[in-house]
Amino acid sequence: MTTETPKHITVIGAGAMGSQIAMVCALAGYDTDVVDIAQDAVDRAETQLHERMDRDVAKQRRTAEDVAAAFERLTFTTDRDGCAAQADVVIEAAVEDLGIKRKLFAELDRICPEHTILVTNSSNIVSSRVADATGRPEKVCNFHFFNPALVMQCVEVVPHVGTSRKTVDTALELARSLGKQPVELKKEVPGFVANRLLGALRTEALKLYEDGVADFEDIDIAAKTALRHPMGPFELMDLVGIDVVHLIRLAEYEQTGDPASLPARSIREKYEAGEYGRKTGKGWYDYS
Ligand code: 3HC
């Protein structure tokens, strides 16, 4: 088996992103594992994906046969090392913590076959910050999906200076084979492309709200009815997670040192109150 024709994909992290990324891979025909350290996270991912797929079948978006075949190819497990030893590609979608990611990449480097490509779904942590924890930096890059990964078409492929052309081409081809539209970046930049665009909109929306210009609901209405965005910026923060938004800003501040990068006041308040959005039942909107 070569890196050009991956067959077996291991996804590390069974959260909202990791579990849906794994489902996308299995639906596209790859033998896929979704791995987490916690059994309850793996169980939750399995339950949620079954519910999601049942809905898709009921709405005739997919056939029951395709879904059943995908679940046959999808393994939910805590056996990271056993999976990684078989993987042609590992997609890391674990917690956004540089120390944890570096340790993980070093361990994956020891366990995975020589040809295995190691990619990270992170948009906060560029791959040059983990590649040097491995002995294969040329086979490491970012491979960034969007939430909800089952639906959103874009995958950003972001090489660091040491990523080989062959790895970039394999990653682009992998994204296409998953039914996604890859966007290739020529160099690492905090936030990549889409989150940079989104960040500009979000910053402006938060400023309008905090300056008392309009209620957040009305700002969302303007984005949807004047600009035809599928969701307003506040609804989107609730979908992505206010904890994630908070973390993205802190990660940017760490890199820029510019106080303008810090989380907006209202984001900090919601973060400190544990109001993370849909995942906690309350964020900008109430989901209880
Ligand atoms: N997971 C999986 N599938 C989902 C979903 C979710 N959380 N939410 C919606 N869907 C799918 C379902 O199939 C759903 O149909 P169903 O509810 O009948 O089963 C279908 O999409 C349509 O959903 P809705 O009818 O509820 O609403 P929409 O037509 O508006 O679609 C949406 C929902 C696809 C989420 C759409 O509103 C949208 O595109 N929103 C913008 C999302 C976005 O911008 N994402 C990028 C975030 S940034 C990011 O991820 C980067 C990271 O680094 C932080």
Side-chain angles (χ1 to χ4, degrees):
M1 191 163 299
T2 68
T3 46
E4 289 87 354
T5 55
K7 300 241 173 343
H8 192 128
I9 299 179
T10 296
V11 181
I12 310 275
M17 291 305 288
S19 60
Q20 291 205 7
I21 291 168
M23 192 77 234
V24 167
C25 297
L27 285 164
Y30 291 97
D31 289 327
T32 310
D33 323 296
V34 54
V35 181
D36 207 291
I37 39 174
Q39 185 62 47
D40 62 331
V42 171
D43 293 343
R44 199 164 44 244
E46 187 166 9
T47 306
Q48 285 175 353
L49 288 177
H50 274 283
E51 284 169 6
R52 183 62 62 189
M53 290 300 113
D54 286 349
R55 241 156 99 154
D56 280 3
V57 171
K59 296 202 166 184
Q60 299 185 326
R61 293 193 186 109
R62 307 177 198 278
T63 67
E65 292 72 29
D66 285 351
V67 166
F71 277 118
E72 280 289 306
R73 289 188 285 267
L74 185 54
T75 305
F76 297 86
T77 179
T78 54
D79 178 18
R80 183 197 68 181
D81 296 1
C83 296
Q86 318 255 330
D88 302 312
V89 178
V90 177
I91 303 176
E92 176 273 319
V95 61
E96 292 290 86
D97 178 302
L98 180 60
I100 291 174
K101 285 194 201 290
R102 284 185 65 82
K103 185 164 177 284
L104 179 61
F105 271 73
E107 288 168 2
L108 289 170
D109 184 44
R110 277 199 295 278
I111 300 160
C112 292
E114 206 178 313
H115 70 268
T116 307
I117 290 179
L118 307 177
V119 302
T120 171
N121 176 54
S122 182
S123 66
N124 302 313
I125 297 177
V126 289
S127 71
S128 56
R129 303 184 80 190
V130 292
D132 65 342
T134 77
R136 61 180 89 193
E138 74 287 356
K139 297 196 181 81
V140 177
C141 68
N142 287 78
F143 194 72
H144 179 224
F145 289 81
F146 293 83
N147 190 334
L150 275 161
V151 179
M152 305 311 282
Q153 286 295 301
C154 185
V155 172
E156 291 173 321
V157 173
V158 190
H160 63 89
V161 283
T163 308
S164 71
R165 186 67 233 172
K166 189 170 158 190
T167 298
V168 174
D169 288 341
T170 305
L172 293 170
E173 196 43 51
L174 174 63
R176 286 187 202 103
S177 75
L178 297 176
K180 300 298 185 189
Q181 173 66 61
V183 169
E184 181 183 348
L185 271 72
K186 296 185 195 305
K187 58 180 179 182
E188 289 184 330
V189 48
F192 307 150
V193 170
N195 275 351
R196 287 286 279 261
L197 298 174
L198 183 58
L201 179 77
R202 184 185 291 141
T203 299
E204 201 53 38
L206 286 163
K207 185 161 168 20
L208 289 166
Y209 168 72
E210 290 184 4
D211 286 352
V213 174
D215 288 340
F216 69 84
E217 294 95 332
D218 283 319
I219 299 171
D220 275 351
I221 289 170
K224 288 186 286 188
T225 59
L227 308 175
R228 276 222 188 181
H229 289 190
M231 282 181 161
F234 295 91
E235 289 173 309
L236 191 52
M237 281 186 251
D238 279 357
L239 175 74
V240 167
I242 287 168
D243 54 331
V244 175
V245 172
H246 185 262
L247 198 118
I248 287 172
R249 301 304 295 178
L250 287 185
E252 189 183 303
Y253 176 67
E254 196 200 310
Q255 289 175 68
T256 63
D258 179 356
S261 297
L262 284 167
R265 176 179 46 78
S266 52
I267 292 298
R268 211 173 52 243
E269 285 168 5
K270 293 222 171 282
Y271 178 78
E272 283 162 8
E275 294 175 1
Y276 294 171
R278 290 194 191 190
K279 66 175 91 165
T280 59
K282 190 171 180 349
W284 289 102
Y285 294 87
D286 198 333
Y287 302 89
S288 54

